Each structure stands twice: as C-alpha cells, then as structure tokens.
Amino acid sequence: MRRTLALLISGSIVALGVTTLMLTGTLSDAIRPVDYTLRTVRDTGAINAVTAILFDYRALDTLGEATVIFAASSVLAFLAPRSSASMLSVRLSMLILYGIAFLLPFIMVFGFGTIVFGHVSPGGGFTGGVMLSSSVVIFAVVYSVGGQQSYVLPILVKKYVENAAMFVFVSLGFIGLFSGGAYLANALTGIPLGEPGSLLSGGLIPLLNIATGFKVGMGLALIIISLFAE
Amino acid sequence: MVVTVVTALAAVVRLMLGPSLVDRIVAGSVIGTMLFALILLFGLLLDEPMMIDVALVYSVLHFADMLIYAKFLGRHRGFM
Amino acid sequence: MILREILSAGFLGLAMFFFLVTAVGLFRFRSSYARLHIAGKCLTGGALSSILAYLVVAPRAAVFARLVIAALLLLFTNALGTHAIARGAHHTGVDIDTLESNSMEGTPFDPRRGPR
Amino acid sequence: MIWVTLALVTLLVVIAFYAVICRSVIAAIVAVGVFSFVVSAIFVALRAPDVAMTQAVVGAGLTTAFFVIALDKTEAADDQESR
C-alpha cells in the first residue's frame, strides 16, 4: 500500500511538472514545417529524419505521447487485479519452450540495437521499445503455465524503470532551458553535434532515444501483462 | 516480384474463403512471409541495405503475432 | 561479378517457384494441416531463397551479417510459429484423419461441429 | 516498381473490404494485421523505411496483440453464434 502510494505521488509529481513545463515552455523558436528533409542533417546531426523530427524539432510532442503511455501504464498497474490469467493457461509444447529460450536474447539485443542506433539507421526509441516489450510479452506468453505467471522482471521493477526513464527524459530537457534555449532544445545549447553517421552524433538525440526506448518498452510490457492478468 | 505479389493475392483469397480460423491464420502468415521476401527484394532493387532492418523487425513481430494466435487457438475449444 | 549476378537470378527464380508452389498448395489441399505444412516448408524455402539471392550480391560485410541473422531468424520463427499454430489447432479439435474436414463451404450447418 | 506498388494498393483495398464485410471477429482481426503489414510494405516501396518500421511495429504488433487479448476477455469468443 505504501509502495502504491509512493508510486502515485511520484507519478503525479512528474505529471504536474510536465504540465507546467508545457505551459511555460517552447513558445519561442517556432519552426515552420518547410524543408525538414533538407535541414535535418545540418541542424541536428542525425541521419534518420523521422528521429530528428521526433526528438529535436517536435520533442515536446514526443514528451506528450510518452506521458500518455506513462499515465495508461500507471493506472493499469494500480487498477488491474492480479488474478490468474485465463489466456495463459494453455501449455505450449516443449519445442517452443526451448526454441524461445534460444531466440529471445537475440530479440532483446536487436531491440537494444534499434534503440541505440536510432539516429543513424531506421528505428528509434519507439520502435526499439516496442521490440523490447514484445520480447517481454513473448516470455510471458510462453512461460506462464497454469495460472502462475512468470515474468522477466517483476512488475514493480518495470514501474521503477519506467519512472526513472521518464525522469531522465524530463530532466534532459532542462539542459536546453538552462543554457539559454528553449525546453528540450538540442543544437542551440552548444552540445557538439558530432560527425553525421557515427554513433556519437546528434547531440541529445541518442540520450532521448534511450530514455524513450526504456520508457516505452517497460510501459507497453506493463500494459499488455496487466491486460493478460485481467 | 510480380510473382510474389500475385501469390500474395492468392493467399488473400484463401484468407477470405478459408472455412476455418486455422486457414485464415495460415493465410495471414503466408502473406506476412511473402511481404518479408518482398521487402528484401525492394532492398535489392533499390540498393538500400536499410530495408533489411525493416524486414527483421517485421519477422519478429510476425512471430509474436503467431504465438498469440496459437495461444488463442489453444484456449477456445470447438471454436475451429 | 557476373557469376554472382547469375547465381542471384537463379536463387530468385527458385524463390518464385517456391512461392508459386505455396499458392497452389494453399488452394489444392483440402485439410488445414496440409496448408500448415506447406506454409511451414515451402514458404520458408522461398523466403530463404530470396535471402540467399541478396546474400550472394551483398555489397558490404554488415549487410552480409544482417542477412545471415535474418536467415537464422526466419528459419526459427517460421518453424516454431507453424508448430505452435498446429498444436493449437489440434487442441481446438480440428480433425486430422478426415480429408474433407474443411469441405463445408456451402453448408451452413454441420452436425458434427455445430454451426459455422 | 510503380506497378508493384499499385498491385499492393489493390491488395490493400481487398483486405480492407474483407475486414469490414466478414462476420467473424477473429477473422477481421487477422485481416487488420495483414492490412498493416501491406501498408508497411507500401511504405518500403515508397522509400520510407522509418515510417514502414513504425507502422509494422504499431499496427501489426501492438494492435493485433491488444485485439486478440481483448477478444479473449470478452464473451464473444466463446459464443458460437457470434461468428
């Protein structure tokens, strides 16, 4: 009960902070949607134009989407009773159990790679996060037999990881605010953009990618597992 | 490539008139794998190796879908 | 280089042949398990052939490695997925023995199975 | 190349009509999953791998999983006449 109370308080504090920042934040520095595909590499140092738009030009919108998933997973983690899951009661065969045990680490590594290389190749935080959550969901689907559920991580650990990633995302935005730019600004803050195409490029974009990836992955895994457990 | 699309169309017809649920799921999986091959062929023709990442993601999600369908099938007896 | 391209074209033709066989098999077979069988075998062969067709003309080592990973993933996921679906179908009670277990397109009611 | 894209769009229309028309819910769910796969392939044909990846992830992975779980929770899956 104290844990749920603490989670509730931390979640509401984050939500309040996000709301205030949205109200006070980026009213300056509006960018007209003219030639994103021409300017992205020069402006942000990221090759992937979609990631550049998501995490540089329109980072505040991404924060809003992340808040939606955050709120949904928070509510589901509180409200869903942890009864025995009816859909998970079917036993799959031994072949699938061993095959998944062989296959699952590759899926996880691929998800992490999609997150980390999000600004130089297709993918990014959301895609890699959904890959991570799909690996968690496959684990829960395959290895939960007969009413007792088995997870990769306990639910509270998922919740804490998600909270921490949300906190990192919000606090990374303050770098722009403290160095004279707007909230979640990237190139204005003086962070070196690096060589376009290498792993360490794009300023804040890889960090925001990693934070979003963990947040989305843990949040969606939490939502789907809560729906399984009804 | 044209052959791939035509065979995918054939699989769509099977998806439409497949009498049982298993046939529909099989047709869906056939279309998924054919489009996986089609994406690889697009990468080969357009000379963009980035497409392989898309195909990999595709394959993994396809697999997750098939597992969830299998769970659903195993749960509902007499559903066919 | 020309040998590689000829090999690639050959693999592409093989892939198209496998896909055609899959489409024919989806229509000609009467039972769900036979369709699952052709989805598990011929389709994997076709997709693997198209991966090989890219593999022999792969320009860089990174592309080669990713294609090898894609081939392994395809082998595992297709086989495991069709196996899982076949097992689920067996649990739900689709008959194996009757060849015409799915020949009830026109009939609205089958007394053995209940209404469609 | 343009003909392949057009053929894929035709496929898309056929699948969309089937998903609307068909009477079984789970068949509609399968059709919607296939639909988003085809949309993703069209994005690849139009040289937008990022959008294709996001579409494949969200449409094919998440939506299908949510729909199947939700159908499993409802009574309609056990009901024979509801197909």
Side-chain angles (χ1 to χ4, degrees):
Chain A
M1 198 60 209
R2 287 178 55 198
R3 277 177 177 173
T4 57
L5 203 64
L7 282 177
L8 190 64
I9 289 173
S10 66
S12 54
I13 284 175
V14 170
L16 264 182
V18 168
T19 316
T20 358
L21 284 170
M22 277 185 171
L23 290 180
T24 60
T26 62
L27 289 179
S28 63
D29 193 31
I31 294 175
R32 289 197 308 278
V34 270
D35 44 359
Y36 277 138
T37 54
L38 299 177
R39 314 177 18 176
T40 45
V41 175
R42 192 183 30 142
D43 275 355
T44 68
I47 288 182
N48 186 354
V50 173
T51 302
I53 289 174
L54 270 180
F55 292 104
D56 189 358
Y57 296 117
R58 291 281 177 262
L60 206 67
D61 298 351
T62 309
L63 185 57
E65 296 173 18
T67 314
V68 169
I69 295 179
F70 181 75
S73 66
S74 300
V75 170
L76 272 176
F78 293 141
L79 291 187
R82 314 250 164 77
S83 60
S84 68
S86 54
M87 190 175 173
L88 300 178
S89 61
V90 183
R91 179 186 285 276
L92 292 174
S93 71
M94 194 62 85
L95 187 60
I96 293 180
L97 296 189
Y98 283 99
I100 297 296
F102 176 74
L103 207 59
L104 211 54
F106 290 100
I107 297 178
M108 284 191 182
V109 168
F110 187 50
F112 276 116
T114 311
I115 291 174
V116 173
F117 287 90
H119 54 294
V120 292
S121 70
F126 273 106
T127 315
V130 178
M131 298 279 296
L132 282 184
S133 78
S134 88
S135 70
V136 173
V137 166
I138 286 176
F139 190 92
V141 162
V142 170
Y143 290 108
S144 303
V145 171
Q148 50 175 313
Q149 303 143 28
S150 61
Y151 302 128
V152 178
L153 293 171
I155 282 183
L156 273 177
V157 174
K158 285 198 191 71
K159 195 62 207 164
Y160 283 134
V161 167
E162 195 195 358
N163 278 346
M166 190 76 189
F167 183 72
V168 166
F169 193 102
V170 171
S171 55
L172 276 176
F174 279 112
I175 297 176
L177 205 60
F178 285 152
S179 58
Y183 184 64
L184 281 170
N186 185 12
L188 290 173
T189 59
I191 299 169
L193 288 183
E195 182 93 7
S198 63
L199 183 57
L200 291 175
S201 68
L204 276 182
I205 290 179
L207 300 174
L208 290 181
N209 252 333
I210 290 171
T212 315
F214 274 99
K215 214 204 77 55
V216 169
M218 290 303 135
L220 285 178
L222 203 55
I223 289 174
I224 295 183
I225 283 174
S226 301
L227 284 182
F228 267 135
E230 194 170 6
Chain B
M1 186 172 283
V2 175
V3 177
T4 312
V5 176
V6 169
T7 48
L9 252 176
V12 165
V13 177
R14 173 48 73 190
L15 178 117
M16 288 169 70
L17 53 87
S20 75
L21 175 59
V22 184
D23 291 329
R24 293 198 169 99
I25 293 174
V26 169
S29 110
V30 166
I31 295 167
T33 314
M34 278 175 182
L35 291 179
F36 170 81
L38 189 69
I39 286 176
L40 280 178
L41 294 187
F42 272 129
L44 180 60
L45 281 192
L46 298 177
D47 200 11
E48 279 192 64
M50 267 188 177
M51 303 302 182
I52 304 172
D53 279 345
V54 184
L56 277 170
V57 171
Y58 214 84
S59 164
V60 169
L61 288 169
H62 187 62
F63 181 50
D65 274 359
M66 281 169 88
L67 278 185
I68 289 181
Y69 285 145
K71 272 283 191 186
F72 184 82
L73 264 180
R75 177 160 146 63
H76 293 283
R77 243 169 231 283
F79 187 45
M80 217 181 93
Chain C
M1 186 52 82
I2 191 71
L3 181 67
R4 280 174 161 198
E5 288 178 358
I6 289 174
L7 209 59
S8 169
F11 275 125
L12 270 187
L14 196 63
M16 291 311 129
F17 170 70
F18 273 130
F19 282 160
L20 270 181
V21 168
T22 309
V24 170
L26 273 185
F27 277 95
R28 291 292 296 167
F29 282 155
R30 306 306 296 170
S31 153
S32 290
Y33 290 101
R35 287 171 192 147
L36 266 169
H37 169 77
I38 205 163
K41 278 205 169 67
C42 264
L43 198 62
T44 313
L48 208 61
S49 300
S50 60
I51 289 177
L52 282 178
Y54 202 170
L55 199 77
V56 292
V57 292
R60 291 197 301 272
V63 179
F64 190 86
R66 282 185 188 198
L67 282 170
V68 169
I69 291 173
L72 285 180
L73 200 65
L74 182 84
L75 275 174
F76 269 88
T77 58
N78 231 336
L80 284 181
T82 44
H83 168 72
I85 287 180
R87 193 178 160 90
H90 182 64
H91 268 281
T92 53
V94 181
D95 287 344
I96 297 180
D97 297 331
T98 55
L99 271 180
E100 53 204 39
S101 73
N102 291 318
S103 65
M104 51 180 202
E105 274 99 346
T107 62
F109 181 74
D110 191 355
R112 283 178 302 144
R113 285 179 218 295
R116 275 179 74 189
Chain D
M1 187 59 75
I2 187 66
W3 293 107
V4 176
T5 312
L6 282 181
L8 281 177
V9 171
T10 314
L11 207 67
L12 198 66
V13 172
V14 171
I15 293 170
F17 268 108
Y18 174 66
V20 172
I21 286 173
C22 73
R23 302 177 57 188
S24 151
V25 182
I26 182 71
I29 292 172
V30 176
V32 168
V34 172
F35 177 85
S36 65
F37 271 138
V38 178
V39 170
S40 165
I42 288 175
F43 281 144
V44 167
L46 298 177
R47 295 191 181 215
D50 319 320
V51 191
M53 204 180 236
T54 309
Q55 171 66 32
V57 161
V58 172
L62 276 183
T63 316
T64 312
F66 277 143
F67 279 165
V68 173
I69 293 166
L71 182 63
D72 186 75
K73 297 296 179 199
T74 54
E75 298 281 326
D78 298 324
D79 201 1
Q80 291 282 329
E81 279 100 2
S82 72
R83 289 180 292 138

